[in-house]
Amino acid sequence: MTALSLTPKEQEICELLANVVETIHTQQPEQPRLVLRIAGGWVRDKLLGLESHDIDIAIDSMSGFDLAQHVNQYLSAHGCPVSTVAKISQNPERSKHLETATTSVLGLLVDFVNLRSETYNSDSRIPQIEFGTPADDAFRRDITINALFYNIHTRQVEDFTGRGLADLRDGIVRTPLEPFKTFTDDPLRVLRVLRFASRFNYAIDEATAEAIMRPEIKCDLDAKISRERVGVELEKMAAGPHPLLSIQLILRFGLYTSIFRTPPRAEWASLEDEPQAGPTEPKDSAVAEALARNMLELVDGSNSLLHGMPQLCLAIGGGEMAMRRSLMLAAFLYPYHGLLVRDKKKVVPMAFVVVRDGIKLSHLDAESTVGLHQFAASLASAASACVAGSLDRRTLGLQIRSIGSRWPQSVVFAAALELLNGKNATALAAVTEKYKAYVGRVVAEGLAEAYTMKHIVDGKAAAKILGIKPGPALKGVLDCVMDWQLDHPLGTRGECEMFIKETIGADMQ
């Protein structure tokens, strides 16, 4: 048996729950004595020495909602604050297969759910649920290291699969039951195997790996799993500690097109019917791994481009973690760069549709991914011009305005893409310094937030100066006003009005 080292708050919660069980038994002696266990990820993380605030209480003979009510009654009777119990109904599409109760206990959120067994049919990943034993509950879980329990009465870790503790010690990801049957029942477990293997940098055991490679499993992954669930797992991989390993595993098991699903072939645009269409086939998906590797060199390496950015730039990019996530998504999707698809009455980048529909992430994620792809070439040219001393302030400011608030991560993406042409220590240092010079120039010119600049003379005032009615022609006028502002960072409104009258007005005559 294995014990855990609990924080004072966790110790307090365990003692509280044990006292609640004793109170229930005193009030209902004819009922079987409850046994409560903390389940899953919390146990795993505690054994790994990691912080965990995700406490799930597994109950053997009472509903989660009823136990949560008993907890609140006990807290109230002892003068402790009580929180409302939220009942989370079954929602199999979001992997909520059994009703759960959630409430705050001594300041920490705690979920209460029954131990359960699951039975599947061949057509769906949504199981038939019954109350079960601790062993039933352990064996129905995705991987052995997630199937551990902590018994709050004995204060010992329980390993009903017989492999969880050893696999945690040895760094192995495997399914509790025969893997092919496990994945056939619920193909989402394939993605969870990949996610946890990459999160902890663990090896996938041979039998589990062989099952993932079976064509039947890939078919089930396409047929049974909602795109929302695919997106949830993929997003966690992209934002996790080892995103490079995530894409390597996706490629190793041939799951790239299953995860990053494209629209039907009939919706792809081609040169014959869309003159602006580019390539007709995706790039080799291995480019996603190469880009992710370059990205991590630039973000985490000893000469990090990201760490070299002023805090203002990191804040503009949404913070370092948000920037890393968006960079990894863009790297993962780069094989689709240049491909176009028909989307209703428009022609749009395929990567946009794959993010929006294939992995069901947000519209913002789709725009960010496509933007990082599209601005890389112009950023590379601008960075070269900056080093050569031929980049003027106006051109720089207009570029930042065009890219918007994502320009800091766009710089990193452009640098990573440039390194695809050949990477060694010399090339990495040269590319890093090149883009650091670009960032330094943006900051020195006061253009880090150029995308927020307002016209010093607005359209209504400009129309009055020129004696014209507001309309489409004013766009060109306002473009000239912004050009003037970027060329004259210390210019006044009066000087700009004179420019409008004497220069723009003269050109309009």
Side-chain angles (χ1 to χ4, degrees):
M1 301 290 278
T2 302
L4 289 182
S5 176
L6 274 59
T7 67
K9 179 64 68 175
E10 291 165 343
Q11 182 80 18
E12 191 178 2
I13 288 175
C14 286
E15 289 174 357
L16 166 71
L17 293 173
N19 289 337
V20 169
V21 168
E22 290 301 319
T23 300
I24 294 171
H25 184 64
T26 299
Q27 295 171 347
Q28 303 173 15
E30 73 284 359
Q31 297 297 324
R33 181 186 289 271
L34 285 173
V35 178
L36 304 185
R37 298 171 171 89
I38 304 180
W42 180 89
V43 186
R44 176 201 66 223
D45 289 348
K46 294 296 290 185
L47 287 165
L48 290 173
L50 304 173
E51 283 191 18
S52 181
H53 305 292
D54 184 19
I55 299 179
D56 295 340
I57 303 299
I59 313 158
D60 62 347
S61 58
M62 178 181 287
S63 77
F65 184 76
D66 287 344
L67 178 60
Q69 297 284 23
H70 279 288
V71 170
N72 272 355
Q73 290 170 13
Y74 185 91
L75 287 169
S76 179
H78 289 78
C80 299
V82 172
S83 298
T84 302
V85 177
K87 184 186 288 188
I88 303 171
S89 300
Q90 289 176 281
N91 188 348
E93 282 302 317
R94 298 203 175 271
S95 292
K96 296 293 184 184
H97 297 304
L98 200 64
E99 180 183 280
T100 304
T102 300
T103 190
S104 177
V105 179
L106 302 179
L108 288 181
L109 277 179
V110 178
D111 288 349
F112 297 89
V113 67
N114 293 93
L115 295 168
R116 64 185 188 266
S117 65
E118 298 176 346
T119 305
Y120 292 83
N121 63 51
S122 61
D123 300 322
S124 172
R125 62 171 285 263
I126 300 173
Q128 297 295 316
I129 301 295
E130 295 179 355
F131 291 163
T133 66
D136 291 334
D137 198 276
F139 278 100
R140 60 96 192 165
R141 292 179 180 261
D142 48 10
I143 55 178
T144 56
I145 63 172
N146 290 344
L148 299 166
F149 293 96
Y150 178 72
N151 188 311
I152 70 163
H153 310 284
T154 65
R155 300 301 178 92
Q156 297 293 321
V157 173
E158 298 172 332
D159 182 6
F160 290 96
T161 71
R163 287 180 160 179
L165 288 170
D167 287 344
L168 199 63
R169 180 194 64 223
D170 298 336
I172 301 293
V173 172
R174 82 172 84 232
T175 59
L177 296 174
E178 193 278 319
F180 181 73
K181 176 68 163 62
T182 296
F183 297 145
T184 301
D185 286 344
D186 185 356
L188 182 67
R189 290 168 176 159
V190 169
L191 301 187
R192 290 178 61 82
V193 164
L194 268 56
R195 174 160 70 86
F196 284 105
S198 63
R199 176 179 171 182
F200 295 115
N201 197 18
Y202 281 5
I204 299 173
D205 94 293
E206 185 176 346
T208 302
E210 289 175 356
I212 294 174
M213 294 291 288
R214 296 271 293 268
E216 305 99 306
I217 298 302
K218 294 178 183 178
C219 289
D220 284 344
L221 190 59
D222 284 335
K224 291 184 179 181
I225 307 301
S226 73
R227 303 318 296 175
E228 288 87 351
R229 293 303 304 169
V230 172
V232 166
E233 295 300 323
L234 188 278
E235 184 174 23
K236 290 178 179 178
M237 291 187 225
H242 301 106
L244 176 59
L245 181 54
S246 296
I247 193 66
Q248 288 171 333
L249 290 171
I250 289 169
L251 296 174
R252 169 189 166 189
F253 291 111
L255 297 174
Y256 187 86
T257 54
S258 295
I259 293 173
F260 302 102
R261 183 190 290 176
T262 61
R265 194 80 186 197
E267 297 176 15
W268 294 26
S270 64
L271 285 169
E272 289 74 25
D273 53 11
E274 297 292 346
Q276 71 268 44
T280 57
E281 295 295 332
K283 298 174 179 63
D284 186 340
S285 54
V287 74
E289 177 187 348
L291 257 181
R293 187 187 304 277
N294 290 351
M295 213 83 70
L296 292 174
E297 290 268 16
L298 291 164
V299 170
D300 295 334
S302 58
N303 193 24
S304 169
L305 177 58
L306 198 60
H307 294 167
M309 287 188 179
Q311 285 301 311
L312 171 63
C313 299
L314 294 177
I316 288 170
E320 189 168 333
M321 293 305 296
M323 289 174 68
R324 286 172 61 95
R325 174 185 172 280
S326 64
L327 285 167
M328 286 303 145
L329 283 176
F332 292 176
L333 271 295
Y334 194 72
Y336 296 129
H337 175 55
L339 292 172
L340 299 175
V341 296
R342 300 179 202 88
D343 187 45
K344 297 179 181 177
K345 295 183 179 180
K346 298 183 294 183
V347 174
V348 301
M350 182 177 288
F352 182 94
V353 177
V354 173
V355 173
R356 186 193 66 190
D357 300 340
I359 52 177
K360 291 290 186 180
L361 298 186
S362 70
H363 189 88
L364 204 61
D365 285 325
E367 285 187 335
S368 173
T369 297
V370 170
L372 293 180
H373 293 175
Q374 292 179 337
F375 288 115
S378 63
L379 267 168
S381 297
S384 296
C386 180
V387 172
S390 59
L391 182 65
D392 61 84
R393 187 178 191 274
R394 180 202 296 184
T395 302
L396 183 60
L398 290 176
Q399 183 171 60
I400 299 300
R401 287 178 63 80
S402 176
I403 299 173
S405 63
R406 301 186 190 99
W407 75 262
Q409 52 262 56
S410 297
V411 168
V412 180
F413 189 85
L417 198 57
E418 190 166 329
L419 285 171
L420 287 180
N421 298 325
K423 186 181 72 176
N424 53 44
T426 302
L428 177 61
V431 168
T432 301
E433 291 308 311
K434 171 181 170 179
Y435 285 91
K436 279 186 176 180
Y438 177 90
V439 173
R441 178 75 186 281
V442 171
V443 174
E445 295 285 5
L447 295 172
E449 296 180 278
Y451 56 90
T452 66
M453 285 177 60
K454 305 294 184 184
H455 294 88
I456 195 170
V457 177
D458 63 22
K460 185 176 180 180
K464 185 176 181 181
I465 293 169
L466 294 171
I468 61 175
K469 293 181 178 181
L474 269 178
K475 182 185 183 306
V477 172
L478 292 175
D479 287 345
C480 290
V481 169
M482 185 54 64
D483 288 349
W484 183 91
Q485 286 179 237
L486 291 168
D487 285 338
H488 303 82
L490 301 178
T492 65
R493 177 185 174 92
E495 290 170 337
C496 187
E497 289 174 343
M498 187 67 67
F499 164 75
I500 293 170
K501 182 177 181 181
E502 295 183 353
T503 303
I504 300 179
D507 290 343
M508 293 180 68
Q509 291 179 359

